[in-house]
Amino acid sequence: MNKKILLTGGTGYIGSHAAVELSTRGYDVVLYDNLQNSSAAVVDQIELISNRKCEFIQGDIRDTALLSDTLSRLKINAVMHFAGLKAVAESIEEPLNYYSTNVLGTLSLLDAMLHAQVFNLVFSSSATVYGVPAYLPIDELHPTGPVNPYGRSKLHAERILSDLAVSSTNWSIISLRYFNPTGAHESGLLGERPTSRPNNLMPIISEVALNSRDRLQVFGDDYDTPDGTGVRDFIHVMDLAEGHRKALEYIGKEKGFEIFNLGTGAGYSVLEMVEAYKVASGQAIPVEIMTRRPGDVGACYADALKADTVLGWQAKRSLKDMCESSWRFYTNSSNRG
Ligand code: NAD
Ligand code: UFG
């Protein structure tokens, strides 16, 4: 059951790590990506680490016919839907692009799945759907209230999934709300290498450690947090990948629609991240304190008890693991380019 899995966005950061996790556990993985924020070279890295072949199809998720043909032809059992756009600031400038990719793209995938009679889906959602935290830690019952088009596009997609699961008992769908994925595969062969300029904290810190940026701009040191800088629930990308495998095992057994947070339950501040990365890399990481970044909240971290209780999943890796694996990836000369 559920042995052949299609990963949309499979050459991207999180999709590629999930592909390694699934492939090393004996699943056949098929990657589907239009390569707008990743490279086909990632396929070789996945095959190298897992020591198994994986198939790659270059295509857009809005190409329903290609998706439908792929699902039927390759006899896919389940889909993990990672493909999407994820930069908050860009989503404010280009909302139509975000709704087209994240909402219409998801609709297109669902149409293709219905046509091919594939009813098992794990969806990449985000803690951003919660908006400004009303309380901490954030559990799945926390009200949603996204404050930007990116977050709203994810929430629209979740609502479509929820309605679909009500429409027929065939469907088995899980939405995973990620907190802040960081780090890289332990081998140093696979990590976060977007083709667009990074916006997230960890890739920017690593650019400073690698001397390709002169300093980290810290957006605000006057939040109501222990050191005044933003606090987030950073989660190792391989823990996240394992969470996807657990979700897949669950949808093999249960029908309907379920939402799970994937986080560690612990928060680290921007300055704690900088310190941890300094230790892992042995490099200086100069910082400059700036004003707050519009749209940021002070602290955000998960209550991940539901994933533990229902899926039997817990994040295991430490902040040190996140920083060391990231540094290993960025200093591995075979990854340069
Ligand atoms: P990523 O950009 O590394 O990966 C996304 C992949 O989707 C890329 O390889 C890109 O080329 C592909 N893609 C984009 N538009 C496409 C389209 N129209 N058709 C086909 N492929 C397309 O991003 P990621 O960090 O791996 O994120 C994966 C998913 O997780 C996204 O849906 C994102 O919204 C969600 N998410 C990410 C984070 C994070 O901080 N990284 C946090 C919460 C949720
Ligand atoms: N930060 C800096 N300087 C930088 C970049 C970030 O100080 O150059 C700070 C931010 O102000 C924030 C923290 O680092 O306090 C984390 O910022 P990120 O941009 O890395 O992450 P966010 O929590 O803002 O958002 C991320 C993803 C969203 C996702 C959200 C919740 O970008 O897509 O996590 O999962 F929705």
Side-chain angles (χ1 to χ4, degrees):
M1 179 64 172
N2 295 337
K3 289 304 270 184
K4 197 159 194 181
I5 318 299
L6 183 86
L7 280 68
T8 74
T11 48
Y13 174 44
I14 302 169
S16 60
H17 289 78
V20 164
E21 169 65 16
L22 294 181
S23 189
T24 52
R25 294 278 181 162
Y27 291 91
D28 294 324
V29 299
V30 179
L31 312 176
Y32 184 102
D33 202 299
N34 70 355
L35 300 180
Q36 80 176 69
N37 198 31
S38 55
S39 135
V42 166
V43 181
D44 299 335
Q45 303 300 81
I46 295 169
E47 290 183 340
L48 188 62
I49 298 170
S50 61
N51 199 23
R52 292 187 62 200
K53 283 274 162 211
C54 68
E55 199 158 338
F56 172 63
I57 291 157
Q58 183 168 353
D60 196 289
I61 46 166
R62 291 159 296 187
D63 187 342
T64 316
L66 178 60
L67 270 173
S68 177
D69 172 66
T70 303
L71 291 167
S72 301
R73 187 171 54 82
L74 299 178
K75 300 190 169 46
I76 299 292
N77 304 109
V79 177
M80 289 192 178
H81 181 31
F82 298 96
L85 302 179
K86 61 167 184 175
V88 170
E90 188 182 64
S91 80
I92 296 167
E93 285 157 22
E94 303 170 21
L96 295 184
N97 211 1
Y98 273 66
Y99 289 117
S100 171
T101 303
N102 294 356
V103 182
L104 289 183
T106 300
L107 269 179
S108 161
L109 170 68
L110 294 170
D111 269 342
M113 289 176 70
L114 191 58
H115 191 255
Q117 302 277 288
V118 177
F119 295 112
N120 298 322
L121 175 69
V122 180
F123 175 68
S124 293
S125 187
S126 168
T128 199
V129 300
Y130 294 117
V132 180
Y135 57 85
L136 291 168
I138 297 179
D139 58 17
E140 290 83 354
L141 299 175
H142 185 289
T144 52
V147 293
N148 51 61
Y150 166 63
R152 282 189 280 273
S153 73
K154 287 287 173 186
L155 192 57
H156 286 323
E158 278 195 358
R159 290 189 170 145
I160 292 168
L161 299 176
S162 165
D163 287 343
L164 192 59
V166 170
S167 73
S168 150
T169 52
N170 285 327
W171 287 97
S172 183
I173 304 174
I174 282 188
S175 179
L176 298 175
R177 291 177 176 168
Y178 316 151
F179 279 68
N180 291 61
T182 48
H185 187 264
E186 289 80 2
S187 62
L189 294 171
L190 194 62
E192 184 168 16
R193 182 160 309 282
T195 54
S196 58
R197 213 173 147 70
N199 298 291
N200 294 122
L201 182 65
M202 182 80 121
I204 295 175
I205 290 180
S206 59
E207 286 185 350
V208 179
L210 287 163
N211 282 323
S212 53
R213 263 183 211 246
D214 60 357
R215 66 195 185 289
L216 171 77
Q217 297 188 322
V218 175
F219 299 135
D221 68 349
D222 56 355
Y223 286 108
D224 184 17
T225 59
D227 64 20
T229 65
V231 165
R232 294 291 184 277
D233 188 337
F234 296 97
I235 172 169
H236 196 296
V237 68
M238 288 311 297
D239 279 329
L240 205 60
E242 288 173 14
H244 285 75
R245 178 173 55 77
K246 292 284 191 178
L248 194 59
E249 288 167 7
Y250 182 85
I251 57 170
K253 296 183 295 221
E254 305 284 338
K255 302 287 178 198
F257 176 66
E258 284 286 348
I259 292 170
F260 295 93
N261 285 339
L262 291 185
T264 65
Y268 290 103
S269 75
V270 173
L271 292 182
E272 282 174 315
M273 292 298 285
V274 170
E275 277 312 307
Y277 212 93
K278 263 189 204 170
V279 172
S281 65
Q283 303 295 307
I285 302 176
V287 301
E288 181 185 9
I289 305 294
M290 313 290 291
T291 54
R292 294 181 181 192
R293 186 172 67 176
D296 270 356
V297 298
C300 177
Y301 48 92
D303 178 332
L305 190 63
K306 185 178 175 191
D308 186 0
T309 313
V310 181
L311 302 179
W313 172 88
Q314 273 181 343
K316 296 189 295 255
R317 294 164 179 84
S318 66
L319 181 58
K320 184 168 177 270
D321 297 330
M322 297 177 213
C323 295
E324 286 180 350
S325 59
S326 163
W327 185 242
R328 199 173 305 128
F329 173 69
Y330 289 118
T331 51
N332 182 346
S333 57
S334 61
N335 296 322
R336 301 252 166 86

